[in-house]
Amino acid sequence: MVRARREHDVSMFTPTSATERPRLLAIQAARLFDGVGSEVIADPLVVLDGATIVSVQQGVKPPDGAEVVDLGGATLMPGLIDTHVHLVFDSGIDPVGMLAARTDDQALAAARDAALVALRGGVTTVRDLGDRNYLSLGLRDEPGLPTILSAGPPITTPGGHCHFLGGATDVTEEGVRAAVREHVERGVDVIKIMASGGTMTPGTRQEVAQFPAGVLRAAVQEAHLLGLVVTAHAHGTQAIRDAVDAGVDGMEHVSFWSAEGVDEPGDLIELIAERGITVGATVGVRPVPGDAPPPAVLSRLPLILENTRRLVEAGARVVAGTDAGIGPGKPHDVCRFAMPQLRDLGMDAAQALRAVTSVAAHVCGLSDRKGRVAAGFDADLLAVDGDPLTDPEAVHRISAVYHNGRAVTLSSPAVR
Ligand SMILES: [Zn+2]
């Protein structure tokens, strides 16, 4: 493991003269994947000035006076971005029950631990698409954690999917508009609305739309008026169609779930692609002996993945919205386990890496800051041992993680 603590970190906590300037940090590695390209670049030198990347060059010497870190045979790439996590869920066998048994203070402490797991696993930005009582918002600027975007409690119907998180609202246009406004007042980064039932909530059905189309549209309009993007949890075909018609920016799952199996999506594949609606595919599973998705998911999975493959083929923007936290196969650093499934969806290795870096940054509204290794971008970096374009396992061999220019302490070598 390469440790690269900056000597001036300590100056954050001790008085220093106003003119003292931390040294630049120059990172050398064997290869660089910059987040937008199709190939790796050999012999890169990435120079950081505090939290920002100031230059990315090839085959040059470090600038005079810079602190130098040589990562040897590693590949540098942007830190990973997971567009759909739940920090308050603990990745155990009963995350809902566990959360229900926790006070808000306990849930917040667990969410902090979850965020740390993500960061140590190379995930430098997470978008939390459902917490309880807006807890994840309180972690957003905490030093030592990844960058966190928060939706707060998902907007849902009384008794609807994830109602226990506290986001149930009247099923009227006024009701959802008020719910959106409350979320905006609390300072959320994105609106998450449950357009259909879901797997984790008994009494709801994935194939059934939760809101009338006009009510869903009102929620989206209100959010857009107030400057926020909306992503809709949408399993069933009716909910997907309503969400598309409502003008959502993104959808999660998009499984075309029916009572018996999985629907034929018909014109929706083309519509989703044409309108540039993001598809958060629920990919990424860490293999855990004895753990498997619920039977109802497992039996539908081949057809769900086939429909998602058609979305990729049609040119839709597909990212890994892993749903980290919802089970043992979904630890909070599960993002890198999404890569094989993204390739199964028809992406090549570089496209899969772009999906969890620059494309995910775009989805999070952070495309000017994150998801790329380029001058002017945030110094969020992941270094892995080997070449992730030719060796799919390389992403699991993490040798260094930087967030905002600071080396993350990797508690132990990351293992599968
Ligand atoms: Zn979710």
Side-chain angles (χ1 to χ4, degrees), residues 27-46 56-60 72-78 350 353 372-374 386-389:
I27 305 177
Q28 296 174 313
R31 288 165 296 273
L32 167 73
F33 175 77
D34 70 359
V36 291
S38 297
E39 293 172 356
V40 293
I41 296 156
D43 199 17
L45 181 79
V46 177
V56 179
Q57 293 172 282
Q58 191 176 12
V60 299
T75 301
L76 269 176
M77 55 181 285
L353 286 177
R372 288 181 65 181
V373 182
D387 180 352
L389 289 190

CSV table of all heavy atoms in Angstrom, one decimal, residues 27-46 56-60 72-78 350 353 372-374 386-389:
chain,number,residue,atom,x,y,z
A,27,ILE,N,2.0,13.0,-8.6
A,27,ILE,CA,1.8,11.5,-8.5
A,27,ILE,C,2.2,10.9,-9.9
A,27,ILE,O,1.7,11.3,-10.9
A,27,ILE,CB,0.3,11.2,-8.2
A,27,ILE,CG1,-0.1,11.9,-6.9
A,27,ILE,CG2,0.1,9.7,-8.1
A,27,ILE,CD1,-1.6,11.8,-6.6
A,28,GLN,N,3.1,9.9,-9.7
A,28,GLN,CA,3.5,9.1,-10.9
A,28,GLN,C,2.9,7.7,-10.9
A,28,GLN,O,2.7,7.2,-9.8
A,28,GLN,CB,5.0,9.0,-10.9
A,28,GLN,CG,5.8,10.3,-11.1
A,28,GLN,CD,7.3,10.1,-10.9
A,28,GLN,OE1,7.7,9.4,-10.0
A,28,GLN,NE2,8.0,10.7,-11.8
A,29,ALA,N,2.6,7.2,-12.0
A,29,ALA,CA,2.0,5.8,-12.1
A,29,ALA,C,2.4,5.3,-13.5
A,29,ALA,O,3.0,6.0,-14.3
A,29,ALA,CB,0.5,5.9,-11.9
A,30,ALA,N,2.1,4.0,-13.7
A,30,ALA,CA,2.4,3.4,-15.0
A,30,ALA,C,1.4,3.8,-16.1
A,30,ALA,O,1.8,4.0,-17.2
A,30,ALA,CB,2.4,1.9,-14.8
A,31,ARG,N,0.2,4.0,-15.7
A,31,ARG,CA,-0.9,4.3,-16.7
A,31,ARG,C,-1.9,5.3,-16.1
A,31,ARG,O,-2.0,5.4,-14.8
A,31,ARG,CB,-1.6,3.0,-17.1
A,31,ARG,CG,-0.9,2.1,-17.9
A,31,ARG,CD,-1.6,0.7,-18.0
A,31,ARG,NE,-1.5,0.1,-16.6
A,31,ARG,CZ,-0.6,-0.6,-16.1
A,31,ARG,NH1,0.5,-0.9,-16.9
A,31,ARG,NH2,-0.6,-1.1,-14.9
A,32,LEU,N,-2.6,5.9,-17.0
A,32,LEU,CA,-3.7,6.8,-16.5
A,32,LEU,C,-5.0,6.5,-17.4
A,32,LEU,O,-4.9,6.5,-18.6
A,32,LEU,CB,-3.3,8.3,-16.7
A,32,LEU,CG,-4.5,9.3,-16.6
A,32,LEU,CD1,-4.9,9.4,-15.1
A,32,LEU,CD2,-4.0,10.7,-17.1
A,33,PHE,N,-6.1,6.3,-16.7
A,33,PHE,CA,-7.4,6.3,-17.5
A,33,PHE,C,-8.0,7.6,-17.0
A,33,PHE,O,-8.3,7.8,-15.8
A,33,PHE,CB,-8.3,5.1,-17.1
A,33,PHE,CG,-9.6,5.2,-17.7
A,33,PHE,CD1,-9.8,5.0,-19.1
A,33,PHE,CD2,-10.7,5.6,-17.0
A,33,PHE,CE1,-11.1,5.1,-19.7
A,33,PHE,CE2,-12.0,5.8,-17.5
A,33,PHE,CZ,-12.1,5.5,-18.9
A,34,ASP,N,-8.3,8.5,-17.9
A,34,ASP,CA,-8.7,9.9,-17.5
A,34,ASP,C,-10.2,10.1,-17.3
A,34,ASP,O,-10.6,11.2,-16.9
A,34,ASP,CB,-8.1,10.9,-18.5
A,34,ASP,CG,-8.9,10.9,-19.9
A,34,ASP,OD1,-9.8,10.0,-20.1
A,34,ASP,OD2,-8.5,11.7,-20.8
A,35,GLY,N,-11.0,9.1,-17.5
A,35,GLY,CA,-12.4,9.2,-17.2
A,35,GLY,C,-13.2,9.4,-18.5
A,35,GLY,O,-14.4,9.2,-18.4
A,36,VAL,N,-12.6,9.9,-19.5
A,36,VAL,CA,-13.4,10.2,-20.8
A,36,VAL,C,-12.8,9.5,-22.0
A,36,VAL,O,-13.5,9.4,-23.0
A,36,VAL,CB,-13.5,11.8,-21.0
A,36,VAL,CG1,-14.3,12.4,-20.0
A,36,VAL,CG2,-12.1,12.4,-21.1
A,37,GLY,N,-11.6,9.1,-21.9
A,37,GLY,CA,-11.0,8.5,-23.1
A,37,GLY,C,-11.4,7.0,-23.3
A,37,GLY,O,-12.2,6.5,-22.6
A,38,SER,N,-10.8,6.4,-24.3
A,38,SER,CA,-11.0,5.0,-24.6
A,38,SER,C,-9.8,4.1,-24.3
A,38,SER,O,-9.9,2.9,-24.4
A,38,SER,CB,-11.4,4.8,-26.1
A,38,SER,OG,-12.6,5.5,-26.3
A,39,GLU,N,-8.7,4.8,-24.0
A,39,GLU,CA,-7.5,4.0,-23.8
A,39,GLU,C,-6.8,4.6,-22.5
A,39,GLU,O,-7.1,5.7,-22.0
A,39,GLU,CB,-6.5,4.2,-25.0
A,39,GLU,CG,-7.1,3.6,-26.2
A,39,GLU,CD,-6.2,3.9,-27.5
A,39,GLU,OE1,-5.3,4.7,-27.3
A,39,GLU,OE2,-6.6,3.3,-28.5
A,40,VAL,N,-5.8,3.8,-22.1
A,40,VAL,CA,-4.9,4.4,-21.0
A,40,VAL,C,-3.7,5.1,-21.6
A,40,VAL,O,-3.3,4.8,-22.7
A,40,VAL,CB,-4.5,3.3,-20.0
A,40,VAL,CG1,-5.6,2.7,-19.3
A,40,VAL,CG2,-3.7,2.2,-20.8
A,41,ILE,N,-3.2,6.0,-20.9
A,41,ILE,CA,-2.1,6.8,-21.2
A,41,ILE,C,-0.9,6.3,-20.4
A,41,ILE,O,-1.0,6.2,-19.2
A,41,ILE,CB,-2.3,8.3,-21.0
A,41,ILE,CG1,-3.5,8.8,-21.8
A,41,ILE,CG2,-1.1,9.2,-21.2
A,41,ILE,CD1,-4.2,10.0,-21.3
A,42,ALA,N,0.2,6.1,-21.1
A,42,ALA,CA,1.4,5.6,-20.3
A,42,ALA,C,2.2,6.7,-19.7
A,42,ALA,O,2.2,7.8,-20.1
A,42,ALA,CB,2.3,4.8,-21.3
A,43,ASP,N,2.8,6.4,-18.5
A,43,ASP,CA,3.7,7.2,-17.9
A,43,ASP,C,3.2,8.6,-17.5
A,43,ASP,O,3.8,9.6,-17.8
A,43,ASP,CB,5.0,7.4,-18.8
A,43,ASP,CG,6.2,7.9,-18.0
A,43,ASP,OD1,6.2,7.8,-16.8
A,43,ASP,OD2,7.1,8.3,-18.7
A,44,PRO,N,2.1,8.7,-16.8
A,44,PRO,CA,1.5,10.0,-16.5
A,44,PRO,C,2.1,10.6,-15.3
A,44,PRO,O,2.7,10.0,-14.4
A,44,PRO,CB,0.0,9.6,-16.2
A,44,PRO,CG,0.1,8.2,-15.6
A,44,PRO,CD,1.3,7.6,-16.3
A,45,LEU,N,2.0,11.9,-15.3
A,45,LEU,CA,2.3,12.7,-14.1
A,45,LEU,C,1.1,13.6,-13.8
A,45,LEU,O,0.8,14.5,-14.6
A,45,LEU,CB,3.6,13.5,-14.3
A,45,LEU,CG,4.0,14.3,-13.0
A,45,LEU,CD1,4.7,13.4,-12.0
A,45,LEU,CD2,4.8,15.5,-13.3
A,46,VAL,N,0.5,13.4,-12.6
A,46,VAL,CA,-0.7,14.2,-12.2
A,46,VAL,C,-0.2,15.0,-11.0
A,46,VAL,O,0.2,14.5,-10.0
A,46,VAL,CB,-1.8,13.3,-11.8
A,46,VAL,CG1,-3.0,14.1,-11.3
A,46,VAL,CG2,-2.3,12.4,-13.0
A,56,VAL,N,-1.9,17.5,-15.9
A,56,VAL,CA,-1.8,16.1,-16.2
A,56,VAL,C,-1.0,16.0,-17.5
A,56,VAL,O,-1.3,16.5,-18.5
A,56,VAL,CB,-3.2,15.5,-16.5
A,56,VAL,CG1,-3.1,14.0,-16.9
A,56,VAL,CG2,-4.2,15.7,-15.3
A,57,GLN,N,0.2,15.4,-17.3
A,57,GLN,CA,1.1,15.3,-18.4
A,57,GLN,C,1.7,13.9,-18.5
A,57,GLN,O,1.5,13.1,-17.7
A,57,GLN,CB,2.3,16.3,-18.2
A,57,GLN,CG,1.9,17.8,-18.2
A,57,GLN,CD,3.0,18.7,-17.8
A,57,GLN,OE1,3.3,18.9,-16.7
A,57,GLN,NE2,3.6,19.3,-18.8
A,58,GLN,N,2.4,13.7,-19.6
A,58,GLN,CA,2.9,12.4,-19.9
A,58,GLN,C,4.4,12.4,-20.1
A,58,GLN,O,4.9,13.3,-20.8
A,58,GLN,CB,2.3,11.9,-21.2
A,58,GLN,CG,2.5,10.4,-21.5
A,58,GLN,CD,1.7,10.0,-22.8
A,58,GLN,OE1,1.2,10.8,-23.5
A,58,GLN,NE2,1.7,8.7,-23.0
A,59,GLY,N,5.1,11.5,-19.4
A,59,GLY,CA,6.6,11.4,-19.6
A,59,GLY,C,7.4,12.6,-19.2
A,59,GLY,O,8.4,12.9,-19.8
A,60,VAL,N,6.9,13.3,-18.2
A,60,VAL,CA,7.7,14.5,-17.8
A,60,VAL,C,8.1,14.3,-16.3
A,60,VAL,O,7.6,13.4,-15.6
A,60,VAL,CB,6.9,15.8,-17.9
A,60,VAL,CG1,6.5,16.1,-19.3
A,60,VAL,CG2,5.6,15.8,-17.0
A,72,GLY,N,4.2,3.3,-8.9
A,72,GLY,CA,4.8,2.1,-9.6
A,72,GLY,C,3.9,1.6,-10.7
A,72,GLY,O,3.6,2.4,-11.6
A,73,GLY,N,3.5,0.4,-10.7
A,73,GLY,CA,2.8,-0.2,-11.8
A,73,GLY,C,1.3,0.0,-11.8
A,73,GLY,O,0.5,-0.6,-12.5
A,74,ALA,N,0.9,1.0,-11.0
A,74,ALA,CA,-0.6,1.2,-10.8
A,74,ALA,C,-1.1,2.0,-12.0
A,74,ALA,O,-0.4,2.7,-12.7
A,74,ALA,CB,-0.8,2.0,-9.6
A,75,THR,N,-2.4,1.9,-12.2
A,75,THR,CA,-3.2,2.8,-13.1
A,75,THR,C,-3.9,3.8,-12.3
A,75,THR,O,-4.7,3.5,-11.4
A,75,THR,CB,-4.2,2.0,-13.9
A,75,THR,OG1,-3.5,1.0,-14.7
A,75,THR,CG2,-5.0,2.9,-14.9
A,76,LEU,N,-3.8,5.1,-12.6
A,76,LEU,CA,-4.5,6.1,-12.0
A,76,LEU,C,-5.8,6.4,-12.8
A,76,LEU,O,-5.8,6.3,-14.0
A,76,LEU,CB,-3.7,7.5,-12.0
A,76,LEU,CG,-2.8,7.8,-10.9
A,76,LEU,CD1,-2.1,9.1,-11.2
A,76,LEU,CD2,-3.6,8.0,-9.6
A,77,MET,N,-6.9,6.6,-12.0
A,77,MET,CA,-8.2,6.9,-12.7
A,77,MET,C,-9.0,7.8,-11.8
A,77,MET,O,-8.6,8.0,-10.6
A,77,MET,CB,-8.9,5.6,-13.0
A,77,MET,CG,-9.1,4.7,-11.9
A,77,MET,SD,-10.0,3.2,-12.4
A,77,MET,CE,-11.7,3.8,-12.6
A,78,PRO,N,-10.1,8.4,-12.3
A,78,PRO,CA,-10.9,9.2,-11.4
A,78,PRO,C,-11.5,8.3,-10.3
A,78,PRO,O,-11.8,7.1,-10.5
A,78,PRO,CB,-12.0,9.7,-12.3
A,78,PRO,CG,-11.5,9.5,-13.7
A,78,PRO,CD,-10.6,8.3,-13.6
A,350,ALA,N,-13.6,0.4,-21.4
A,350,ALA,CA,-13.5,1.9,-21.2
A,350,ALA,C,-14.9,2.5,-21.0
A,350,ALA,O,-15.0,3.4,-20.1
A,350,ALA,CB,-12.8,2.5,-22.4
A,353,LEU,N,-15.9,1.9,-17.5
A,353,LEU,CA,-15.2,2.8,-16.6
A,353,LEU,C,-15.8,4.3,-16.7
A,353,LEU,O,-15.9,4.9,-15.7
A,353,LEU,CB,-13.7,2.8,-16.8
A,353,LEU,CG,-13.0,1.6,-16.4
A,353,LEU,CD1,-11.5,1.7,-16.8
A,353,LEU,CD2,-13.1,1.3,-14.9
A,372,ARG,N,-13.2,13.1,-13.9
A,372,ARG,CA,-12.1,13.2,-14.9
A,372,ARG,C,-10.8,13.4,-14.2
A,372,ARG,O,-10.8,14.1,-13.1
A,372,ARG,CB,-12.3,14.3,-15.9
A,372,ARG,CG,-13.4,14.1,-16.9
A,372,ARG,CD,-13.5,15.3,-17.8
A,372,ARG,NE,-12.3,15.4,-18.6
A,372,ARG,CZ,-12.2,16.4,-19.5
A,372,ARG,NH1,-13.1,17.3,-19.7
A,372,ARG,NH2,-11.1,16.5,-20.2
A,373,VAL,N,-9.8,13.0,-14.7
A,373,VAL,CA,-8.4,13.4,-14.3
A,373,VAL,C,-7.9,14.4,-15.3
A,373,VAL,O,-7.5,14.0,-16.4
A,373,VAL,CB,-7.5,12.2,-14.2
A,373,VAL,CG1,-6.1,12.6,-13.6
A,373,VAL,CG2,-8.0,11.1,-13.3
A,374,ALA,N,-8.1,15.6,-15.0
A,374,ALA,CA,-7.8,16.7,-15.9
A,374,ALA,C,-7.5,18.0,-15.0
A,374,ALA,O,-8.1,18.1,-13.9
A,374,ALA,CB,-8.9,17.0,-16.9
A,386,GLY,N,-2.4,-2.7,-11.8
A,386,GLY,CA,-2.7,-3.3,-13.1
A,386,GLY,C,-3.4,-2.4,-14.0
A,386,GLY,O,-3.6,-1.2,-13.7
A,387,ASP,N,-3.9,-2.9,-15.1
A,387,ASP,CA,-4.6,-2.2,-16.2
A,387,ASP,C,-6.1,-2.6,-16.2
A,387,ASP,O,-6.4,-3.6,-16.7
A,387,ASP,CB,-3.9,-2.4,-17.5
A,387,ASP,CG,-4.6,-1.6,-18.6
A,387,ASP,OD1,-5.7,-1.0,-18.4
A,387,ASP,OD2,-4.1,-1.6,-19.8
A,388,PRO,N,-7.0,-1.7,-15.7
A,388,PRO,CA,-8.4,-2.1,-15.6
A,388,PRO,C,-9.0,-2.3,-17.0
A,388,PRO,O,-10.1,-2.8,-17.1
A,388,PRO,CB,-9.0,-0.9,-14.9
A,388,PRO,CG,-8.1,0.2,-15.1
A,388,PRO,CD,-6.7,-0.3,-15.2
A,389,LEU,N,-8.4,-1.8,-18.1
A,389,LEU,CA,-9.0,-2.0,-19.4
A,389,LEU,C,-8.7,-3.4,-19.9
A,389,LEU,O,-9.5,-3.9,-20.7
A,389,LEU,CB,-8.4,-1.0,-20.4
A,389,LEU,CG,-8.8,0.5,-20.2
A,389,LEU,CD1,-8.4,1.3,-21.4
A,389,LEU,CD2,-10.4,0.6,-20.0
